[in-house]
Amino acid sequence: MNKRINFKRMAVAASTALVASLTLTACAGGSMNEAGSDKSGDANTIQFWSNHPGSSRDLEEEMIKEFEEENPDLKVKLVDAGSSYEEVAQKLNAALAGNDLPDVFVASDMTWFNFALNGSSENLDELWEKENLNPDSYVDTLREDYNFDGKHYGAPYSRSTTLMYWNTDQLKEAGLPTDRGPKDWKEFAEWADKLKAKTGKPALTMASGDDYLDWYFEGMAWAFGGGYSDDWDLKFTDPKTIEAAKFLQDQVKKGNIEIAKDPTVSFGNGNASSFVGSTGSLGGLTEASEVPFITTYLPGPGPSAPTGGAGLAIPSKISDERKSNAIKFIDFLTNTENTIKFSQKTGYMPVRKDALDDPKEKEFLKEHPNAETSIKQLTENTKPQDNARVFVPGGGQRIGGALDRITLGGEDVDEVFSGVEKETQSTIDSQIEPKLK
């Protein structure tokens, strides 16, 4: 998500999210003013709705136990709110039509706007001040991703960037460097031909359009000089974007890039030389992978990697006492000790500034250089995501579907991307422009 959000851009984002939220609330059978009020509830039991990012359920339960030991008057109920960030958002939208709300919920880079801008999530600044907590201790870039109009509607939790993972045995077998990735996609193509010839396997495995290919391809499009949009000017038919899309399609046709149902398994079993995924995949791959690997930046020229992941938010229509307990729990869950523990276990980035100064973290990064790649890439190779993906309703799904059509379906790139641009522009015209006026 954005490192710095300008207010003109956010005004449009507000309209986008408001339209989406109104639609969702109407489908649920309630109204914005009447729905989602839960002033009752057990103030001493904190309901935490999570999708357990990075397969972190056991770790979340461990941290909850420690919180309860430090706060014997409070209990935390961990609720399986879905298997993805989107499912958590859907569950909360359904709850907003009734009165059974959580105290804390996971909100991703693409979902937190919806809840903040329709008044469904709480401004955390007032709670931080009330409970004498220090939001400045969060990494500035990650904290400001939840900033709207000078107020913060989330705290960083499972934050990530896209990464490349490389099988060093296969790199060595093909006579390629084993201490870096390709500097650009042209060099990747050269590596891919050598790897395919030597191993008989794809050089790269990637997820499909229904599993964030739109996020991974975003960085590739940037590296080619294209993208999805520049502010609200769409770039799907920009020659550089088309060039990136045709490159992807061509590499798939050659067998150099594989679009897989579960690319982490394919890579971890040695069936592909590299894998583009989230930093959140690092923990699982480190534990389960059958091959030695390194992590690298995405091919440039940079910036060529979007940030992503999720934060923690609080519903606005629960009681003040519940809000106070919720912010204390969020602060504990993301404190220096726990963010270090969480990042080391899952691969997500530490969200507190002083985490990198901790002797144990320094030693860990020295012993596990793969974990340091995303931290370095955050400041050296990332930029804000494009409006067309994160602010236009259905943006990610629309782009993902188009990418499936050109990779799995082999359809004409110009035609597919022209259609996506028309559909996206139509959505902006019908659901965003009227709100701006």
Side-chain angles (χ1 to χ4, degrees), residues 137-251:
S137 63
Y138 287 107
V139 175
D140 293 341
T141 300
L142 303 181
R143 182 192 63 245
E144 292 310 300
D145 279 347
Y146 308 98
N147 183 344
F148 169 57
D149 200 18
K151 301 174 183 178
H152 299 81
Y153 294 88
Y157 180 49
S158 52
R159 296 306 311 275
S160 62
T161 65
T162 50
L163 280 182
M164 287 199 85
Y165 299 74
W166 286 93
N167 182 323
T168 51
D169 279 352
Q170 292 184 9
L171 289 174
K172 185 176 181 180
E173 184 181 355
L176 297 168
T178 59
D179 61 348
R180 68 174 181 89
K183 64 180 183 293
D184 53 33
W185 287 103
K186 179 181 178 181
E187 186 175 40
F188 165 85
E190 296 169 357
W191 285 27
D193 288 339
K194 293 179 181 179
L195 286 162
K196 183 74 185 306
K198 200 70 176 178
T199 68
K201 301 171 182 177
L204 170 63
T205 181
M206 302 177 73
S208 62
D210 61 359
D211 193 17
Y212 301 121
L213 179 56
D214 53 295
W215 186 45
Y216 304 130
F217 177 73
E218 189 171 31
M220 182 185 291
W222 291 345
F224 275 79
Y228 301 144
S229 62
D230 181 5
D231 199 6
W232 290 105
D233 296 326
L234 301 182
K235 296 181 64 176
F236 293 105
T237 58
D238 183 289
K240 296 298 185 180
T241 308
I242 296 296
E243 182 184 0
K246 288 182 176 179
F247 174 84
L248 173 64
Q249 184 183 63
D250 181 62
Q251 291 296 305

Side-chain angles (χ1 to χ4, degrees), residues 402-425:
L403 291 171
D404 277 348
R405 289 171 62 189
I406 68 168
T407 54
L408 300 176
E411 296 185 36
D412 182 77
V413 170
D414 291 280
E415 183 177 333
V416 170
F417 272 53
S418 177
V420 171
E421 180 147 320
K422 290 178 181 177
E423 291 175 20
T424 304
Q425 189 64 58

Side-chain angles (χ1 to χ4, degrees), residues 2 5-19 113-114 117 148 232 387 390-393 432 436:
N2 300 2
I5 302 175
N6 67 61
F7 296 126
K8 179 180 178 182
R9 179 171 176 170
M10 286 303 304
V12 182
S15 300
T16 307
L18 184 58
V19 170
F113 285 109
N114 175 56
L117 298 170
F148 169 57
W232 290 105
N387 287 17
V390 294
F391 292 157
V392 178
I432 295 175
L436 286 179

